[in-house]
Structures are given as structure tokens and as C-alpha cells.
Amino acid sequence: MRHIISIRDFERRDLDHLLHRAGEFAGGGFDRDLLAGKILSLLFFEPSTRTRMSFASAMARLGGTCISVDSMEASSIAKGETLADTVRVVSGYTDAIVLRHPKEGAARLASEFATVPVINAGDGAGQHPSQTLLDLYTIKQSMDLDGIEVGILGDLRYGRTAHSLAYALSLYDVNLHAIAPKGLEFPEGLVHELKGRGMEVRNHHDVRKVIRDLDVLYITRIQKERFPDLGSYYDVASSYRITPETLQGVKDRLILLHPLPRVDEIDPAVDSTPHARYFEQSRNGVPVRMALLSEVMG
Amino acid sequence: MTPGQNRTLLVSQIKDGTVIDHITAGEALNVLTILGIAGTTTESLSIATNVASRKEGRKDILKISGRELRKEEVDRIALIAPHATINIIRDYEVVEKKGVTVPPVIKGVVKCPNPGCISNAKEPIESAFEVLGKELRCCYCDWMITKNIASHII
């Protein structure tokens, strides 16, 4: 039984295989009854729009059906049931479980008790492997994953998508540029680990000084609650905002990614530039999740 | 006997039980905690801390009467006392002597410092950490403990 819990569980050949499968699904030439008769449970104990809907869409496109729990309040967890018991019970109803939960490591725990495959759809500030896969897939649509300069910008200390992506990119020949305000750099432990995997991380505080060297800029949100007051937040956030002016002189092939939702990080005027790929990235959630579902249930 | 040797016998010999020698100085009480030996348990204990050692300069020693510790029990202490040696004593004689081996994963010994980790919630699991040299990674949330491991012992 195959679970999808953390990007750390993947080797490069696993990622390449899933990205290839996603490409096949995106191309349209696939068996639309591949998962006919299969039932997927969507256990979402935290709000989600894109992830939940794209899993449901992926399952429908493969001929399967979904049943769901949309909040803690609507579930037996509100009565004090453990997550371990919940997934044991739900295993009896469905062929796979997609789980989003506020606690880090919840999906790992679920995989220890479930008798059907578990796919992690985000566990607190922890892992979100399907997001990382669709990030990689979007890059691969434009360029090879080897020999590229990738910048990751924003709250790198706490951002789970940034950590997962950095970790996944360490499986490829990538030069990584970490662009973050002081105090929000990648955690030391992660940098140390990436170094151990052969990836050097170059730190920058000013995106304008590095953006012309980049092939990919992955933008994440800088959260207000990380700052002592709103004034210092706006000062920092405005210096990290990507505008048409920021993009002057960049490489033609630079692509801009963002896991969305964005707030003020990207000026809407950037949306119409050839560099903007974040909405395409969001659409890619469907074929990538089709690949994951077919992998665990097909 | 040299004058130095004359001053080293701080605690008496035990008839039957386990002597853990070469514990990192200052860690004896943490070793007892990991082994689950508290003041309320029935074992007779002798504890020597910061005693002179030719190899380590200073070391701690534990003597536990009436209980032979199994290898898997003492391997749990390897995290904080990697050079410890275990001597099984029967009728005042050392009948078995062994070192400690760091297990690849330790369960139920260290509490994850991440308050958001599922291992700190009311779930039917033990904490679990992957041992990476002198560091630990939580098997659930990936949190790294890079220093002061003893302060996280349950």
C-alpha cells in the first residue's frame, strides 16, 4: 500500500514518474474509467478551496466518486474521537483518504492506522506534497529541472510550501536562492540538510539584486503576524512586492510561481506578462492529483 | 595501590545487578529518567557524578542492584551517554560487558518540542525520532532537535 505523506519520502525517479504521469493526464489520452467504482474520502479538518476542489475534480475525471468531511465541527473529532480512530473507521468506507489537518504529522499518524492509502493534503505548517509536485510540474512545463537558477521568496522560515519545494529541488541540479526578510530566512536545520544533499543555498534580502539571474521565482506570502506591528510589516512587504518594474531586465524565460492565494505580493499588472504562470500552476493541480490518485488506487 | 586509586572508590560494590560506567559527566540523572528508574521504584541505586576518569576527565557511574538491564533498554541512553559501558554483575563478578548502540529510531523517550506536532496531541502513539548523528528528527513533524537533547526527555 502506497501512502503520499511527505516529499522526503520520494526519490528523484518517483517524482519523475509522477510528473510524467501528470503530463499524460494533462494530454487527455487516458482511461476515463480508471477509478470507476472507487470511492475517495476527503477529510478536510481545515479550510481549503483549491486543494479540495482539485482532488474532487481529479477523482471525477477518473470516473470515481468522493465523500467528504468539511470541518472538525462536523465530525466525530468534535466529540473527542482521536484521529487514529477516525481514519480506522473511514478506511472501512472508502478506497483512499485525502487528509488535511491542523496538526503537523497528522498524515503520518493517519498512515499508521488507516488500512487504505492516505494522501497528505497539508498538515498544519508541515508537508503538502501534492503542492510541491504541481510546482515541479509547472516548472517542467517550461524548462528542464536540471541546470536552473531558482529563487524562493517570502516567509521562508515558516512557509511549508517553500520548505517542501527546496527539499524536492535538492534532488535536481538546481542553484537555489533564498530571498527573505531578516529573521524569516530558511531554518538552519533545513539549510544544513540541503547542504548535506549537495545543494548550496545563497541568501539574499533584496529580490531586485538577484531576479535577473533567475529562471524561476517562487513567491510566497509574507504574513502580517510575523511582525511586531503593521508598520514594519508594510515596509517589508512592499519591498518584496513583484511589479512590472521589478521585472525589468529579467531573463525572457523567467517564470513566476505562487501557491496562491496571493494578497499583495504580486501586482495584478504582472498577470498579463509572459512570466506569470501562477494561474496555470493552480490548474495543474488537477492532472498532478490525477497522477497521485491513480498511483495509490489505480 | 597509588594514592590516586585509593581515592576512587566512592560507592560500594554490588552483589547482583547492573553497573553503567563511563556516562557523560552530569548525565546520570537523565540516564535514570530514560531508563524509567525513579525515586518510587524499588531498585537500590548508587549514583556517582563527576568522578575522575582517565579517558573522559570526568564521568558519572550508576550502580543498580537487583536488576539486570537488557541491551535494548540501555541503548536508549546512547543519545546522551554514547560512551557508556554496561556491566552485568552476578555474585560480585562482571559476567557480561557491552557498549551502547544508538538505535535508528527512538520511541517514547523524547518529547517533540513542536507544540503543533500530532505526537503532542491525545492520540494513541508514542513520540518517535529518527537519530541522525547527534541530532534527532521527529518522525511525525520533521522538527529537528539539534542541541540539549536531555532537556526534551519525557
Side-chain angles (χ1 to χ4, degrees), chain A residues 24-87:
Chain A
E24 289 177 341
F25 286 120
F30 60 89
D31 175 5
R32 287 169 199 279
D33 288 323
L34 187 68
L35 298 182
K38 301 278 188 187
I39 302 173
L40 176 69
S41 57
L42 300 173
L43 296 185
F44 277 68
F45 298 114
E46 267 193 336
S48 162
T49 309
R50 278 164 295 279
T51 306
R52 188 168 171 280
M53 288 183 73
S54 60
F55 266 114
S57 169
M59 191 62 180
R61 283 171 196 265
L62 291 170
T65 52
C66 295
I67 55 178
S68 65
V69 169
D70 299 334
S71 69
M72 288 260 196
E73 294 70 30
S75 76
S76 49
I77 283 187
K79 297 175 190 164
E81 186 177 55
T82 62
L83 178 62
D85 279 2
T86 301
V87 297

Side-chain angles (χ1 to χ4, degrees), chain A residues 187-197 199, chain B residues 135 144 146:
Chain A
E188 253 179 58
L190 179 67
V191 173
H192 179 67
E193 199 175 356
L194 294 174
K195 199 172 177 179
R197 295 165 65 89
M199 176 183 257
Chain B
E135 300 177 342
M144 295 288 293
T146 55

